[in-house]
């Protein structure tokens, strides 16, 4: 919730300014996410906080709580909805408990590239996102930005070239329905594991593999518990930045416009950062001892696409019109 700065309140009262005007003038936002140090999403949040303060002349300050400091994904989403946390970011599908269709923006194999992913998830211009956002707003949460983290790839303790290689094996799924469906499409047994518990789960064999952007694999040192990296690129990892609707409405139009501009700029920076980092990260992970498997090495991305897309279509038939809208975005 908005916290009114004491000095601003005293000054406003002295000048006869209304309480509503004070809340629009000064806000302290608690921004939570689960990303680890070094990940693009962590860099994004830190830079966004600094830029928001500058763009609003210090009237809106943002304190970032990374690495699940305010709880896991479910706790963060509930906190933003209730207002105990002002804003946060995570995969779009993390909001599916509020509006199931929002998960479509994380569906595998739907974006042509990173630029398409950002365009299709622009809160101001994407028809599909605008329609879903209206439903979220009714639940007290509004998407106001997005982050591009790069393509997600499979890491494992053995070579993975086709879905058959994962058949019957426990594979980490983000604890969201969309990921469970996708992992079934991989041919594996979906095993929900929170990100903070992932290294231990991999080390102890609770799961034999997982999938994530290279930035996350590197920043969490998953190379220490995983030997192989399969460059499936099955999902363009784009995250939603969302805010409590009451907090958003408590700010002035000028503040909201400034924040939106900052988040748009940071989204473009995240795309550039992810694009530039991927080749370097592949070499880095090779240097750490991981064996990288590409299509040149026999990785059958086409079969992964076929199996996963069929599973998603079966489990989420209502996604089809939204996917058509997403694919139509230039």
């Amino acid at each position: 919730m908005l916290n009114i700065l004491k000095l601003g309140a005293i000054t406003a009262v002295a000048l006869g300014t209304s309480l509503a005007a004070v809340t629009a003038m000064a806000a302290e936002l608690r921004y939570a996410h689960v990303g680890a140090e070094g990940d693009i999403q962590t860099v994004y949040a830190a830079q966004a906080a600094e830029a928001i303060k500058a763009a609003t002349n210090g009237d809106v300050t943002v304190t970032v709580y990374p690495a699940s400091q305010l709880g896991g994904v479910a706790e963060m989403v509930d906190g933003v909805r209730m207002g105990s946390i002002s804003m946060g970011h995570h995969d779009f599908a993390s909001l599916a408990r509020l509006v199931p269709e929002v998960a479509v923006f994380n569906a595998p194999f739907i974006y042509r590239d990173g630029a398409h992913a950002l365009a299709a998830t622009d809160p101001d211009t994407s028809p599909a996102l605008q329609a879903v956002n209206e439903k979220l707003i009714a639940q007290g949460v509004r998407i106001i930005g997005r982050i591009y983290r790069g393509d997600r790839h499979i890491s494992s303790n053995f070579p993975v070239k086709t879905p058959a290689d994962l058949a019957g094996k426990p594979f980490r799924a983000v604890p969201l329905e969309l990921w469970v469906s996708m992992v079934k499409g991989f041919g594996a047994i979906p095993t929900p594991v929170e990100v903070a518990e992932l290294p231990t789960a991999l080390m102890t064999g609770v799961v034999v593999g997982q999938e994530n952007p290279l930035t996350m694999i590197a920043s969490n040192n998953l190379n220490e518990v995983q030997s192989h990296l399969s460059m499936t690129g099955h999902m363009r990892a784009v995250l939603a930045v969302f805010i409590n609707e009451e907090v958003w409405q408590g700010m002035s139009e000028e503040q909201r416009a400034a924040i939106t501009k900052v988040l748009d700029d940071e989204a473009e920076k995240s795309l550039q950062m992810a694009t530039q980092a991927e080749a370097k990260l592949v070499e880095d992970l090779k240097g750490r001892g991981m064996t990288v498997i590409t299509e040149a090495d026999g990785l059958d991305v086409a079969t992964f696409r076929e199996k996963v897309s069929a599973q998603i279509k079966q489990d989420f038939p209502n996604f089809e019109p939204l996917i058509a809208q997403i694919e139509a975005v230039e």
Side-chain angles (χ1 to χ4, degrees), residues 59-74:
D59 288 332
V60 180
T61 57
V62 180
T63 302
V64 181
Y65 297 86
S68 305
Q69 289 181 35
L70 300 185
V73 176

Side-chain angles (χ1 to χ4, degrees), residues 237-293:
V238 57
L239 310 182
V241 182
F242 46 91
I243 193 166
N244 174 274
E245 179 65 9
E246 186 178 341
V247 169
W248 187 244
Q249 295 302 329
M251 290 185 279
S252 69
E253 289 185 17
E254 292 78 10
Q255 289 170 339
R256 292 197 295 264
I259 292 170
T260 297
K261 176 66 164 57
V262 165
L263 298 185
D264 282 346
D265 291 345
E266 293 300 327
E268 292 295 336
K269 289 179 185 177
S270 71
L271 174 59
Q272 295 170 13
M273 191 186 309
T275 302
Q276 294 168 0
E278 179 141 320
K280 181 179 179 182
L281 284 166
V282 168
E283 293 306 312
D284 177 34
L285 291 168
K286 283 182 180 178
R288 299 190 199 182
M290 294 195 84
T291 298
V292 176
I293 303 171

Side-chain angles (χ1 to χ4, degrees), residues 67-90:
S68 305
Q69 289 181 35
L70 300 185
V73 176
E75 291 84 0
M76 178 180 63
V77 171
D78 286 341
V80 174
R81 181 176 57 83
M82 294 184 295
S84 58
I85 300 171
S86 308
M87 61 187 295
H89 72 243
H90 199 261

Side-chain angles (χ1 to χ4, degrees), residues 1 24 47 81 94 98 123 137 179 205 215 224 228 232 235 278:
M1 302 295 288
Q47 292 181 346
R81 181 176 57 83
S94 65
L98 306 180
I137 290 167
W179 261 262
T215 53
E224 296 178 358
H228 288 72
T232 46
M235 185 184 286
E278 179 141 320

